[in-house]
């Protein structure tokens, strides 16, 4: 995995917008697809809503934790094998979006060098994604014993359940449609397609980065770039 400081994305410090943890996924939208950061946000969140099913359907007020928007894909991987049936639960893929503070600090754009040497302007915003016990469950957000979202299997030794398990699993599911390598289905039976395989009228690239700075208090970071298809704007 590439160290986060070795590439040209110039990820801003966490102090710009003070989320509890450093955003683990960043979206960069090339200027030919969006004429500013608000358009970039609308494009990406609309794409994830339509194609990945990430919708704002929480049944109760949910603290935004300094975010500007949030969404989820609910009722995933129902676990029914708990020793205490009260622990049985389904899961949410939960994402929070951060864009306003980046825009106010003029940290909402970056120039990136393409492989052909051209430099292009991208509008960017951040998001934080995690996988957890469904929001409606009394034990939300965590059941340590769960074989999917718990401190189990290869994640048994995680010191922090959120940063060491829920966040990396959320990133795996959003990017690849799997949790611990197992394909996940939506509540209606359709596959939970990962971002790398979603239908898109633009060129989508995913860069997985290894956090390098002390303010990056997450296990993994992804940068997703959206650009016009080769051969010009759509
Ligand atoms: Zn959550
Ligand atoms: Zn929660
Ligand atoms: Zn679970």
């Amino acid at each position: 995995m590439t160290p986060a400081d070795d590439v040209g994305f110039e990820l801003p410090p966490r102090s710009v917008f003070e989320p509890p943890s450093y955003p683990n996924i960043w979206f960069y939208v090339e200027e030919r697809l969006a004429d500013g950061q608000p358009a970039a946000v609308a494009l990406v969140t609309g794409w994830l809503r339509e194609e990945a099913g990430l919708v704002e359907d929480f049944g109760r007020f949910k603290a935004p934790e300094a975010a500007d928007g949030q969404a989820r894909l609910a009722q995933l991987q129902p676990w029914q094998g708990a020793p205490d049936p009260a622990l049985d639960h389904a899961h949410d893929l939960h994402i929070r979006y951060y864009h306003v503070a980046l825009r106010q600090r003029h940290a909402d754009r970056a120039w990136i060098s393409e492989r052909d040497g051209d430099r292009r302007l991208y509008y960017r915003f951040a998001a934080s994604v995690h996988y957890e016990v469904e929001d409606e469950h009394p034990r939300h957000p965590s059941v340590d014993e769960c074989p999917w979202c718990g401190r189990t299997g290869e994640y048994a030794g995680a010191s922090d359940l959120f940063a060491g398990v829920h966040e990396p699993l959320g990133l795996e599911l959003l990017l690849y449609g799997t949790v611990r390598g197992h394909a996940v289905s939506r509540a209606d039976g359709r596959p939970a397609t990962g971002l790398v395989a979603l239908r898109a009228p633009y060129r989508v690239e995913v860069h997985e980065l290894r956090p390098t700075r002390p303010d990056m208090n997450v296990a993994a970071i992804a940068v997703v770039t959206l650009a016009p298809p080769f051969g010009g704007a759509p």
Side-chain angles (χ1 to χ4, degrees), residues 80-147:
Q80 280 152 353
D84 172 0
L87 295 184
D88 285 353
H89 60 270
H91 299 88
D92 282 355
L93 176 66
H94 181 197
I95 189 167
R96 291 192 174 96
Y97 299 116
Y98 300 90
H99 40 90
V100 174
L102 287 166
R103 189 160 71 242
Q104 288 168 340
R105 304 283 198 96
H106 307 290
D108 61 340
R109 60 198 68 190
W111 289 87
I112 297 181
S113 299
E114 308 282 326
R115 284 191 203 103
D116 61 10
D118 281 0
R119 279 165 62 77
R120 288 277 183 191
L121 179 63
Y122 283 73
Y123 294 103
R124 73 171 161 206
F125 66 101
S128 192
V129 66
H130 56 269
Y131 193 60
E132 64 190 345
V133 176
E134 61 189 324
D135 199 60
E136 289 80 0
H137 197 280
R139 287 289 296 268
H140 167 86
S142 52
V143 169
D144 262 3
E145 307 89 317
C146 177

Side-chain angles (χ1 to χ4, degrees), residues 17 38 45 62-63 105 109 116 137 149 177 187 216 223 225:
F17 41 99
T45 58
K62 207 165 159 50
R105 304 283 198 96
R109 60 198 68 190
D116 61 10
H137 197 280
C149 72
M216 295 174 166
V223 168
T225 61

Side-chain angles (χ1 to χ4, degrees), residues 218-229:
V218 290
I221 295 173
V223 168
V224 179
T225 61
L226 280 71

